[in-house]
Amino acid sequence: MAGAGLNAVVEPDTTPVAVRSLCEFAARSGDLDHGFTPSPSADEGREGHREVTRRRPEHYLAELPLTGVCEGLALRGRADGYDPVQKRLEEIKTHRGDLSRLGAGKRALHLAQLRVYGALLCRAENLSGIELTLVYYDVSTGSETPITAQEDAESLWLYLSVLCRKYRHWAEAERAHRVARDRALTTLRFPFAGFRHGQRSLSESVYKTLMTGGTLLLQAPTGSGKTVGTLFPALLTLPRRSLDRLFYLTVRITGRQLALNGLQQIIESQSTPVPLRVLELSAREQACEYPDRACHGESCPLARGFFDNLDAARAELTQQQGVLDRNRLRQVALEHRLCPYYLTQEMARWADVVIGDVNHQFDQQASLHALTVQNDWRVALLIDEAHNLIDRARGMYSAELSQQRLLALKKTVPAALKTAFESLARRWRSLISETGANKNWQKPATVTVPLQSVPRSLDGALQGLISRITDYLAEQAVDARLQNLLFEAMAFLQLAQQFGEHSVCELSYRGPGTAVLAIHNLIPADFLRRRFEAGQATVLFSATLNPPDYQRHLLGLPGNSRWHELESPFQAAQLCVRIVPGISTRLRDRDKSLAPTVNRILSQFQHRPGNYLVYLSSFAYLDALYDAFQRVGTGVPTTRQRPGMNTEQRQAFIDSFNEAGQQVGFAVLGGAFAEGIDLPGSRLTGVFVLTLGLPPHDSRHEQLRERLQQRFGMGYEYAYLYPGCQKVIQAAGRLIRTPDDSGIIELIDDRFARGQVRRLLPRWWPQVALVAGKVAG
C-alpha cells in the first residue's frame, strides 16, 4: 500500500534528512521545556507503542516507512501507524501522568512530525486529504488520549515546504562543509616529524580496522602515544569511508583534555586550514548555570526563549573551525542567553568529532547513540581507558531503592505528598516481611536476601510517588532531596522492566527502616551489544586489556574482534621487578603482614632514597600499614590517600611527589592515584603493591562468579582474578612513564608467584625475581 512512498525515486542532488531531525531543527520555538515531566523509558515507550497497535484492527499498518523529496531534501522516517480503511495516520507518544504537564513546545513538535508524515503519505498515495491523530498513551494507566484533525494534502505539503526551506540553506551549508572537511582530511599530515617507538604500528592497526569495519582491542602501554596515534588515522578514514562522525569517548575528564589537546596539535600543524568541528561534551552538573532551577522557561532564565535564540548561537559556532571546548561553549551560550548544557547537546548534531564520557554512548539516556540511530549516521568509536568500561557499564545498568531515604523525607514532606509516601512505606514493610529479611536479622549484622526476580509489589506505590512528586515539583521550587528520590524511583522501575540473567536482585537489611532493594548488573554485554553494533567500527584501547576474551565477553563485542598488543617503548633494563612470596596479604594474615612489609619498605628506602608509592586493597588495610609505619619512628616523610578527597586535596597529594622529594605515600588500588596520573623521573622511584587487588569474597561477588561461570565457564577468572590483576598493573604502571625513567616494583604476596598470575603481567617487564626478606642490589 505504501509502495510509492517506499520506492519513490530520490533525486540525485538532494540532502538526506530524517523527519524527526527536520522537525527538531525547523519546528521548535519558544522555551526549553525539560521540567518535571518524567518520560517513560525506552522500553516503556516501545511497549506502549506495541500495546496501542495491538488494539488496532488487522489491516492497521504499524511502523510505516515513508520517504519523499521536498525543496531539495530527501526525507525519510517511519510513521507509527496508518489505518488505510479510515484514512487515519497516527503518531503515538507515550507519557506518564497528567498530560496537561506536557509543555506546549513538545506538543507542537509532536504535531509537526505528524503533519510531515501526513504530507509524505498524501503525496506518495495521491490522497486529497487525511485524518491525523496524535495518540498520547499513559504508560501508568494504559489510557489513550487522541487528538484528531482532518487536513488536506495541499496544506500539508505547503507546511512541509516551509520547514524544508528553513532547513535547506542550513543543509546546503552543511554539505559544503562536508566537502571541504573531507578534502582537507584526505591530505592530512602527521603532526610531528616522526612516530614514537611503536606508534606507527598502533596507527596502522587503527587505520586498517576503521577502513575495513569491525572491532579492535588495542593494548598499548603508557608512552606509546595512544591519543594522537588513534586520532590521526581515524581522521584519515572519515572521507575514505564516508563516515559522518567520530566519537572519542573516555572515562575521565583528564582523558577528554588529552584528546582535545591532541586534536588541536593535529589541526594546527597542517599547512592549510582544516575545517573540522570538534566538540567537547560535558555532564549536566559540570555545565549547568542554575542547578537549583527547573529546566523550563518559567524557572530558568537560560531556558526562556531557548529555541528563539538558538539559531544565532548555532550559526556563530558552526562558523568557527577547531575545538569547541566547555569554556568556549559556555561563553557563546551566555552571550546568547542560552543554557550551556543544552546548547552543547544541540551542537552535537553538527560536530565532526565529539569528545565525551562513555556515558554519552552507552548509558540508558545516551544522547550520542540516540542521535546516531535517529539520523542514520555512520560513526566510528574510539574508546580510551577501555579497561574501565566493564565496571562503568555495570553502574549504568544498576539501581537501588533506599527505605531509609524514603522514611527520612517522609517526616518533612508537604501534605500534598504524605499519602504517596505513606503508601510506599507500607509496601516496604510488607516486602520486608515477605522476604523474611527481618526474621533472620541480629544487630549489628546485615542480612542480604537474594531474590529470583524483582518484586513488583512496589510498582504501584512507586508510580504513584513519581506522579505526585512530579506534580509538586512542576509548581514549586526545586527540592534536591525530592528530585533525587524521583530519579531513584524512575531508574529502578526502568531497570526492573529489563531484568534478566544479566543482573541480580537482592534485599539487604540491617535493622528497622534500613532496607535497600537493589538491582546489580553483572553482565553489561546484554545492554552494550546494540550500542557497538550501531557503529561502523570501534577501537577500544588501554594499557591493560589482557586477556581479550574477558573484554569481548563482558562488553558484548563481536566474536571476530581483533586483538593487537603493541610493543612497549620501554626496555626491561629500566625496571627491577621483585615478587615477595614470603608475606601473605590475605585477610586472615593482614595483621601478621604489617611488620615485615614495613621492614621491606624501609630497607628499600634506605638502599635508594626517593619517592615511593605503596598500594593496598582497602582503606582499612592502608590505615593499618600506615600506622605501623609511623610507629617505627624513622622520621621518613609520609603521605596517604584519604576517603573522599576533593580536587584540591588530590592535586596536593600528587604535587607532594616532586623531583627533589623523598617520601613514602600510601594509596588504594583502583583509586584516584592508581591510574591516570604521571610521576615521571625522580618523582617516583618505586612501587609496592600488596595483594592481588581481588574483589571481596562476599555474596554479591559470589553471585557474579556463579553467573559468569554459567555463561562463560570462567567464573573465578572473570569475577576475581582478571579485575584484580588489572588494578595491580595499572598501579605499577605509574612508575615507568618515559624512556628515561627507572625504578623498582615489589609485588608482595605469595599468589604473585603463580604461573596463572605471572602470565598476566606485562610482557616487556624483565625476568621477575623471587625474594625473601632482604633488599637485593
Side-chain angles (χ1 to χ4, degrees):
M1 112 103 242
L6 284 168
N7 301 314
V9 177
V10 177
E11 298 173 12
D13 191 24
T14 58
T15 300
V17 58
V19 167
R20 181 174 173 181
S21 296
L22 170 71
C23 294
E24 287 176 344
F25 181 91
R28 292 186 296 182
S29 62
D31 297 348
L32 186 70
D33 185 8
H34 290 279
F36 292 101
T37 53
S39 302
S41 67
D43 278 359
E44 287 176 316
R46 285 189 288 268
E47 180 53 36
H49 278 69
R50 285 193 290 266
E51 177 57 31
V52 172
T53 56
R54 278 195 290 264
R55 299 173 181 179
R56 301 299 185 257
E58 287 187 10
H59 59 260
Y60 185 82
L61 302 173
E63 293 290 316
L64 179 68
L66 291 169
T67 61
V69 176
C70 180
E71 299 289 339
L73 301 180
L75 302 165
R76 66 183 186 280
R78 288 180 179 271
D80 289 328
Y82 179 56
D83 186 329
V85 175
Q86 299 296 326
K87 297 291 189 291
R88 180 190 300 121
L89 186 67
E90 293 185 333
E91 182 72 7
I92 303 166
K93 299 296 181 183
T94 55
H95 72 103
R96 177 185 282 110
D98 186 357
L99 185 59
S100 67
R101 293 198 306 264
L102 192 66
K106 289 184 179 178
R107 289 173 181 263
L109 179 61
H110 297 162
L111 180 58
Q113 287 180 242
L114 178 57
R115 297 190 76 196
V116 169
Y117 286 132
L120 293 175
L121 182 60
C122 286
R123 179 61 59 99
E125 298 299 327
N126 198 27
L127 302 175
S128 60
I130 194 168
E131 182 180 303
L132 301 178
T133 301
L134 267 175
V135 179
Y136 286 103
Y137 176 81
D138 190 335
V139 297
S140 302
T141 64
S143 61
E144 297 180 33
T145 303
I147 301 173
T148 300
Q150 188 72 33
E151 300 234 24
D152 65 88
E154 185 177 351
S155 298
L156 289 172
W157 195 260
L158 180 62
Y159 175 76
L160 173 59
S161 299
V162 170
L163 295 185
C164 289
R165 280 194 292 273
K166 185 176 180 181
Y167 188 92
R168 184 180 61 190
H169 81 279
W170 186 266
E172 291 170 351
E174 283 302 289
R175 195 187 325 179
H177 165 74
R178 176 67 174 265
V179 171
R181 181 202 81 174
D182 286 355
R183 184 186 301 119
L185 294 181
T186 301
T187 58
L188 200 68
R189 298 175 63 86
F190 193 67
F192 305 113
F195 289 90
R196 294 187 193 181
H197 177 81
Q199 194 177 32
R200 178 181 289 278
S201 174
L202 181 155
S203 293
E204 289 175 351
S205 186
V206 172
Y207 182 80
K208 290 175 183 177
T209 297
L210 299 184
M211 284 299 295
T212 59
T215 301
L216 171 67
L217 285 161
L218 176 64
Q219 181 161 285
T222 298
S224 53
K226 293 190 290 291
T227 305
V228 171
T230 54
L231 282 168
F232 175 70
L235 293 175
L236 290 176
T237 64
L238 288 181
R240 291 169 171 83
R241 283 212 66 202
S242 297
L243 296 173
D244 299 303
R245 304 287 188 276
L246 172 65
F247 297 159
Y248 188 103
L249 307 171
T250 74
V251 298
R252 296 177 186 272
I253 293 176
T254 52
R256 293 211 306 264
Q257 191 58 53
L258 286 172
L260 290 168
N261 294 343
L263 282 163
Q264 195 75 52
Q265 288 175 321
I266 293 171
I267 293 170
E268 293 179 352
S269 67
Q270 306 305 307
S271 58
T272 57
V274 180
L276 188 72
R277 297 176 188 153
V278 179
L279 178 76
E280 179 187 12
L281 273 185
S282 300
R284 186 196 302 262
E285 56 269 21
Q286 295 167 344
C288 180
E289 295 289 317
Y290 295 97
D292 59 333
R293 310 281 184 91
C295 297
H296 59 73
E298 295 179 4
S299 177
C300 178
L302 299 182
R304 194 172 306 130
F306 180 90
F307 293 109
D308 301 327
N309 300 330
L310 176 60
D311 284 356
R314 182 168 51 201
E316 178 180 340
L317 288 170
T318 52
Q319 292 304 310
Q320 300 178 17
Q321 308 300 334
V323 174
L324 296 175
D325 62 14
R326 185 172 65 180
N327 293 332
R328 178 59 181 148
L329 287 159
R330 179 179 182 270
Q331 177 187 350
V332 173
L334 297 183
E335 287 173 357
H336 292 271
R337 296 198 58 75
L338 293 169
C339 168
Y341 173 73
Y342 282 104
L343 175 60
T344 304
Q345 295 292 306
E346 287 294 325
M347 292 309 301
R349 303 168 185 268
W350 313 107
D352 302 304
V353 181
V354 179
I355 298 173
D357 191 90
V358 291
N359 283 54
H360 295 300
Q361 174 67 17
F362 294 109
D363 77 7
Q364 295 186 79
Q365 315 299 330
S367 57
L368 292 180
H369 175 69
L371 286 171
T372 299
V373 173
Q374 174 182 319
N375 295 288
D376 198 23
W377 284 341
R378 291 170 54 83
V379 304
L381 304 177
L382 298 180
I383 303 173
D384 191 10
E385 299 171 311
H387 65 278
N388 287 301
L389 186 54
I390 293 172
D391 280 344
R392 281 289 297 274
R394 282 177 175 148
M396 295 174 198
Y397 294 96
S398 299
E400 65 180 32
L401 294 175
S402 167
Q403 184 191 25
Q404 192 169 26
R405 175 179 290 178
L406 175 82
L407 296 179
L409 275 172
K410 180 173 172 285
K411 298 174 182 177
T412 59
V413 293
L417 300 177
K418 282 286 187 184
T419 301
F421 270 76
E422 288 171 356
S423 175
L424 183 55
R426 286 194 298 271
R427 293 310 310 153
W428 260 117
R429 290 193 294 270
S430 298
L431 176 63
I432 293 167
S433 296
E434 291 164 7
T435 60
N438 54 344
K439 297 176 184 176
N440 300 319
W441 174 73
Q442 289 185 344
K443 190 176 182 178
T446 297
V447 173
T448 300
V449 181
L451 304 173
Q452 294 302 310
S453 60
V454 181
R456 309 317 299 260
S457 56
L458 298 181
D459 285 9
L462 283 171
Q463 293 280 11
L465 184 71
I466 289 170
S467 179
R468 298 296 180 273
I469 294 178
T470 300
D471 289 341
Y472 179 81
L473 291 177
E475 305 295 334
Q476 306 293 330
V478 174
D479 184 318
R481 297 180 307 159
L482 286 175
Q483 181 178 308
N484 289 337
L485 182 62
L486 172 68
F487 293 157
E488 178 184 289
M490 291 171 57
F492 188 87
L493 281 178
Q494 289 177 8
L495 285 177
Q497 291 159 0
Q498 304 172 72
F499 188 76
E501 68 169 13
H502 47 66
S503 302
V504 294
C505 182
E506 64 182 25
L507 180 76
S508 60
Y509 182 87
R510 53 185 177 84
T514 65
V516 174
L517 182 63
I519 297 172
H520 298 295
N521 177 252
L522 306 180
I523 306 175
D526 295 354
F527 292 102
L528 303 187
R529 186 173 290 108
R530 290 191 297 272
R531 306 301 174 90
F532 284 113
E533 290 171 351
Q536 297 298 307
T538 301
V539 176
L540 304 97
F541 53 101
S542 166
T544 51
L545 288 179
N546 192 36
D549 280 347
Y550 172 60
Q551 309 293 334
R552 290 190 188 107
H553 287 157
L554 292 185
L555 294 176
L557 303 176
N560 62 352
S561 299
R562 294 178 55 237
W563 165 257
H564 180 59
E565 183 175 359
L566 198 67
E567 181 183 346
S568 175
F570 308 132
Q571 303 299 315
Q574 294 178 246
L575 186 63
C576 173
V577 181
R578 300 194 285 258
I579 291 176
V580 185
I583 300 175
S584 169
T585 63
R586 293 169 178 82
L587 185 61
R588 65 176 181 270
D589 299 325
R590 296 239 168 120
D591 287 344
K592 292 187 292 184
S593 73
L594 300 178
T597 300
V598 167
N599 289 336
R600 289 210 60 81
I601 298 170
L602 286 174
S603 296
Q604 176 60 39
F605 187 88
Q606 292 162 1
H607 176 76
R608 183 181 174 185
N611 291 306
Y612 290 85
L613 265 171
V614 183
Y615 290 101
L616 302 104
S617 56
S618 68
F619 279 105
Y621 198 7
L622 183 154
D623 290 341
L625 184 64
Y626 181 85
D627 291 343
F629 194 90
Q630 294 293 93
R631 284 194 297 269
V632 174
T634 60
V636 175
T638 58
T639 185
R640 62 172 161 176
Q641 179 181 358
R642 297 180 184 274
M645 295 172 77
N646 59 33
T647 303
E648 292 75 19
Q649 291 168 331
R650 289 197 298 269
Q651 190 59 49
F653 181 94
I654 295 170
D655 292 343
S656 70
F657 289 84
N658 57 67
E659 293 182 354
Q662 294 183 4
Q663 69 171 357
V664 177
F666 297 80
V668 173
L669 278 174
F673 307 115
E675 60 178 281
I677 64 169
D678 285 317
L679 298 172
S682 59
R683 293 185 67 187
L684 192 60
T685 308
V687 168
F688 294 83
V689 181
L690 281 77
T691 83
L692 269 69
L694 303 182
H697 280 71
D698 54 22
S699 60
R700 186 182 308 168
H701 283 93
E702 279 302 286
Q703 283 182 308
L704 175 62
R705 182 189 60 77
E706 292 171 4
R707 193 65 55 89
L708 294 174
Q709 183 66 30
Q710 292 168 4
R711 176 83 75 94
F712 306 114
M714 299 284 284
Y716 171 74
E717 291 84 356
Y718 284 7
Y720 293 104
L721 182 61
Y722 297 162
C725 286
Q726 275 190 355
K727 292 178 184 178
V728 169
I729 296 168
Q730 281 288 333
R734 301 312 93 205
L735 181 61
I736 305 297
R737 311 298 290 176
T738 75
D740 298 323
D741 294 341
S742 64
I744 70 103
I745 295 172
E746 281 208 1
L747 307 176
I748 300 177
D749 192 280
D750 61 284
R751 288 166 291 182
F752 282 115
R754 295 176 181 174
Q756 184 185 29
V757 174
R758 294 176 69 167
R759 283 191 293 271
L760 296 173
L761 300 179
R763 291 194 303 172
W764 73 270
W765 281 11
Q767 182 69 35
V768 174
L770 297 179
V771 299
K774 195 175 179 181
V775 173

